[in-house]
Short mmCIF file of all heavy atoms in Angstrom, two decimals:
data_model
loop_
_atom_site.label_atom_id
_atom_site.label_comp_id
_atom_site.label_asym_id
_atom_site.label_seq_id
_atom_site.Cartn_x
_atom_site.Cartn_y
_atom_site.Cartn_z
N VAL A 38 -48.95 119.25 97.06
CA VAL A 38 -49.15 120.64 97.36
C VAL A 38 -50.22 121.28 96.49
O VAL A 38 -50.98 122.09 96.89
CB VAL A 38 -47.82 121.42 97.20
CG1 VAL A 38 -47.99 122.88 97.51
CG2 VAL A 38 -46.76 120.81 98.11
N GLY A 39 -50.32 120.83 95.25
CA GLY A 39 -51.23 121.40 94.28
C GLY A 39 -50.47 121.76 93.01
O GLY A 39 -49.26 121.88 93.05
N HIS A 40 -51.19 121.93 91.91
CA HIS A 40 -50.55 122.25 90.64
C HIS A 40 -49.44 121.24 90.30
O HIS A 40 -48.39 121.62 89.82
CB HIS A 40 -50.02 123.67 90.60
CG HIS A 40 -51.08 124.68 90.82
ND1 HIS A 40 -51.99 125.02 89.87
CD2 HIS A 40 -51.37 125.43 91.91
CE1 HIS A 40 -52.81 125.93 90.33
NE2 HIS A 40 -52.44 126.21 91.59
N ALA A 41 -49.68 119.98 90.61
CA ALA A 41 -48.76 118.88 90.35
C ALA A 41 -47.50 118.93 91.18
O ALA A 41 -46.53 118.25 90.91
CB ALA A 41 -48.42 118.78 88.87
N LEU A 42 -47.43 119.80 92.21
CA LEU A 42 -46.28 119.86 93.08
C LEU A 42 -46.42 118.83 94.18
O LEU A 42 -47.46 118.75 94.84
CB LEU A 42 -46.12 121.26 93.70
CG LEU A 42 -45.85 122.40 92.74
CD1 LEU A 42 -45.78 123.70 93.49
CD2 LEU A 42 -44.60 122.15 91.96
N VAL A 43 -45.41 118.03 94.36
CA VAL A 43 -45.41 117.00 95.40
C VAL A 43 -44.10 117.07 96.15
O VAL A 43 -43.08 117.42 95.58
CB VAL A 43 -45.65 115.58 94.82
CG1 VAL A 43 -47.10 115.40 94.40
CG2 VAL A 43 -44.74 115.32 93.61
N THR A 44 -44.15 116.75 97.42
CA THR A 44 -42.98 116.88 98.31
C THR A 44 -42.76 115.62 99.13
O THR A 44 -43.73 115.07 99.65
CB THR A 44 -43.16 118.08 99.25
OG1 THR A 44 -43.46 119.25 98.48
CG2 THR A 44 -41.94 118.32 100.10
N ALA A 45 -41.52 115.24 99.27
CA ALA A 45 -41.13 114.17 100.18
C ALA A 45 -40.25 114.78 101.25
O ALA A 45 -39.44 115.67 100.96
CB ALA A 45 -40.37 113.07 99.45
N VAL A 46 -40.40 114.31 102.48
CA VAL A 46 -39.62 114.80 103.59
C VAL A 46 -38.87 113.65 104.22
O VAL A 46 -39.46 112.59 104.50
CB VAL A 46 -40.53 115.48 104.65
CG1 VAL A 46 -39.69 116.05 105.77
CG2 VAL A 46 -41.40 116.55 104.03
N ILE A 47 -37.59 113.84 104.44
CA ILE A 47 -36.76 112.80 105.05
C ILE A 47 -36.10 113.40 106.30
O ILE A 47 -36.05 114.63 106.45
CB ILE A 47 -35.66 112.27 104.11
CG1 ILE A 47 -34.74 113.40 103.65
CG2 ILE A 47 -36.28 111.54 102.93
CD1 ILE A 47 -33.50 112.92 102.92
N TYR A 48 -35.60 112.55 107.16
CA TYR A 48 -34.80 113.02 108.30
C TYR A 48 -33.72 112.03 108.64
O TYR A 48 -33.75 110.88 108.25
CB TYR A 48 -35.68 113.34 109.51
CG TYR A 48 -36.39 112.15 110.10
CD1 TYR A 48 -35.79 111.43 111.13
CD2 TYR A 48 -37.64 111.77 109.66
CE1 TYR A 48 -36.45 110.33 111.69
CE2 TYR A 48 -38.29 110.70 110.22
CZ TYR A 48 -37.70 109.97 111.23
OH TYR A 48 -38.35 108.89 111.77
N GLY A 49 -32.72 112.55 109.31
CA GLY A 49 -31.56 111.76 109.72
C GLY A 49 -30.50 112.71 110.19
O GLY A 49 -30.77 113.88 110.46
N ASP A 50 -29.25 112.24 110.25
CA ASP A 50 -28.18 113.17 110.64
C ASP A 50 -27.88 114.11 109.47
O ASP A 50 -28.21 113.84 108.34
CB ASP A 50 -26.95 112.45 111.18
CG ASP A 50 -26.19 111.69 110.14
OD1 ASP A 50 -25.72 112.32 109.17
OD2 ASP A 50 -26.06 110.47 110.28
N VAL A 51 -27.25 115.22 109.78
CA VAL A 51 -27.07 116.30 108.78
C VAL A 51 -26.35 115.80 107.53
O VAL A 51 -26.79 116.07 106.42
CB VAL A 51 -26.33 117.50 109.43
CG1 VAL A 51 -26.04 118.57 108.37
CG2 VAL A 51 -27.13 118.09 110.56
N ALA A 52 -25.26 115.10 107.70
CA ALA A 52 -24.47 114.66 106.55
C ALA A 52 -25.27 113.70 105.68
O ALA A 52 -25.23 113.78 104.44
CB ALA A 52 -23.17 114.01 107.00
N ALA A 53 -26.01 112.79 106.32
CA ALA A 53 -26.80 111.81 105.55
C ALA A 53 -27.93 112.49 104.78
O ALA A 53 -28.18 112.18 103.64
CB ALA A 53 -27.35 110.76 106.49
N VAL A 54 -28.60 113.46 105.42
CA VAL A 54 -29.68 114.17 104.74
C VAL A 54 -29.17 114.98 103.56
O VAL A 54 -29.75 114.99 102.49
CB VAL A 54 -30.45 115.06 105.75
CG1 VAL A 54 -31.42 115.99 105.04
CG2 VAL A 54 -31.21 114.17 106.75
N LYS A 55 -28.03 115.63 103.74
CA LYS A 55 -27.41 116.41 102.64
C LYS A 55 -27.05 115.48 101.48
O LYS A 55 -27.35 115.78 100.32
CB LYS A 55 -26.18 117.15 103.17
CG LYS A 55 -25.44 117.94 102.09
CD LYS A 55 -26.27 119.05 101.52
CE LYS A 55 -25.44 119.88 100.57
NZ LYS A 55 -26.20 120.38 99.45
#
Side-chain angles (χ1 to χ4, degrees):
V38 180
H40 300 286
L42 296 178
V43 286
T44 305
V46 183
I47 59 169
Y48 64 92
D50 68 62
V51 176
V54 169
K55 177 65 174 145

